[in-house]
Amino acid sequence: MSTPSLRFVACNYPALGHTRPQLGLITRLTQNHDDLLITILVYSPYVSSTRKELETLLTDLSRVRMIGVGPFSDNAGRGFNSLFLAYVALQELIPAAYKEIVERGSVTCTATGSIFDYALVPIPTIVLSDLATPFAGQGIKAITPDVKLLVSWMGTSSFFINRFGPDELGGYGSLEAKARVVLNRDGLGEDSLMAEAFKVESNFQGRVLPNTEGLPMFDYEIFPQDLDNGSYTPVYINAARQTNGWAGGVAICSTGNFEPQARQALQNWYEG
């Protein structure tokens, strides 16, 4: 294969709801660009299942390098505990593999033993970092500050804005900053950050939330059931550091025909 003019790295999180939209984008990119080489960094126990998913979409994988990182296991589960291991481990495993790539070294897939040589492959021009690999995105930007970092988001534009957008768009992107105000005011330590963030987020008073599509929605509709959503607060806080700080855009599983105002608001937010 001749040297590609476009190099693309995707940081995969192995939950199927994250993987399938990401692989759909990778398929479309591969089909539309003959000069594109894609590297997908996958938590090693999920390489086989991720490859099977991709093979249902794309018959020719010659321009896709799927590299397993971390210890291999052939009995990885899909439950929360199994996926949490991936969430923690990938934050360090992905930047380490990425560093080898940009230094034109060789990377070994720990799932298959295949060795991928990057000696003749220029450094990536675009990196797609999953919502659930935020510190991988941070590590990648530290290695290559000029690379274009995009967030891979498995939901709609409206939900992305709700979770990470500014206050004026009805978003919770400033949740960490608001929680830190409470820490400073009450003299609390860093270990109280997530608990205080959840209190701020769940302080429902029946307020109407602004949203880009102009749909009537109240603050208590964020959590319509009485569930322990506090466990996801750290994920959203950490993800917001990526979406609002290190990333320069987002790839979303949605369409402007479905939510045109949200799409435009999101574009204006990142480009403004």
Side-chain angles (χ1 to χ4, degrees):
M1 183 182 70
S2 60
T3 301
S5 60
L6 297 171
R7 288 81 58 195
F8 189 98
V9 172
C11 310
N12 175 262
Y13 179 66
L16 283 177
H18 294 240
T19 294
R20 284 173 173 164
Q22 188 181 81
L23 295 183
L25 173 61
I26 288 171
T27 298
R28 183 65 63 86
L29 289 172
T30 304
Q31 292 170 338
N32 291 348
H33 298 278
D34 294 334
D35 56 347
L36 176 64
L37 174 66
I38 294 181
T39 297
I40 310 175
L41 300 175
V42 182
Y43 192 47
S44 190
Y46 299 93
V47 165
S48 177
S49 59
T50 303
R51 177 174 290 277
K52 289 178 181 178
E53 289 287 339
L54 184 57
E55 287 174 342
T56 65
L57 301 171
L58 192 63
T59 56
D60 180 10
L61 302 185
S62 62
R63 290 184 288 117
V64 177
R65 297 181 172 188
M66 188 173 295
I67 302 177
V69 295
F72 175 70
S73 170
D74 59 2
N75 61 349
R78 289 285 179 183
F80 179 84
N81 290 334
S82 299
L83 294 173
F84 184 73
L85 292 175
Y87 173 79
V88 174
L90 287 173
Q91 314 302 340
E92 295 184 0
L93 292 171
I94 287 176
Y98 179 80
K99 190 172 187 292
E100 289 294 324
I101 291 173
V102 299
E103 290 180 350
R104 312 286 177 84
S106 297
V107 184
T108 300
C109 174
T110 56
T112 65
S114 299
I115 300 175
F116 296 90
D117 185 8
Y118 284 85
L120 300 178
V121 180
I123 65 172
T125 48
I126 299 176
V127 174
L128 184 66
S129 179
D130 191 273
L131 159 80
T133 57
F135 296 117
Q138 180 190 29
I140 285 168
K141 288 293 285 186
I143 296 168
T144 49
D146 294 333
V147 75
K148 182 72 171 183
L149 180 67
L150 303 178
V151 178
S152 178
W153 172 251
M154 66 292 180
T156 62
S157 299
S158 299
F159 189 30
F160 184 89
I161 292 172
N162 172 262
R163 290 309 328 175
F164 308 116
D167 292 353
E168 59 269 24
L169 294 180
Y172 284 87
S174 61
L175 182 58
E176 179 177 2
K178 292 177 180 177
R180 290 194 179 280
V181 169
V182 176
L183 296 190
N184 294 333
R185 183 194 67 197
D186 298 345
L188 299 174
E190 186 72 17
D191 57 346
S192 299
L193 174 63
M194 297 306 174
E196 293 304 318
F198 181 65
K199 290 178 184 178
V200 172
E201 181 182 13
S202 58
N203 181 26
F204 306 137
Q205 299 180 7
R207 297 186 298 266
V208 176
L209 287 180
N211 62 82
T212 52
E213 291 298 323
L215 303 175
M217 182 176 180
F218 294 92
D219 54 10
Y220 53 77
E221 292 182 89
I222 297 292
F223 301 137
Q225 289 86 32
D226 185 14
L227 300 173
D228 178 19
N229 288 282
S231 60
Y232 288 93
T233 299
V235 176
Y236 287 129
I237 289 285
N238 293 332
R241 294 170 182 169
Q242 177 172 242
T243 60
N244 298 9
W246 311 315
V250 58
I252 288 185
C253 182
S254 185
T255 171
N257 292 331
F258 174 64
E259 43 179 358
Q261 296 176 78
R263 181 183 182 278
Q264 187 61 54
L266 186 57
Q267 182 175 345
N268 293 344
W269 173 30
Y270 268 115
E271 294 182 355

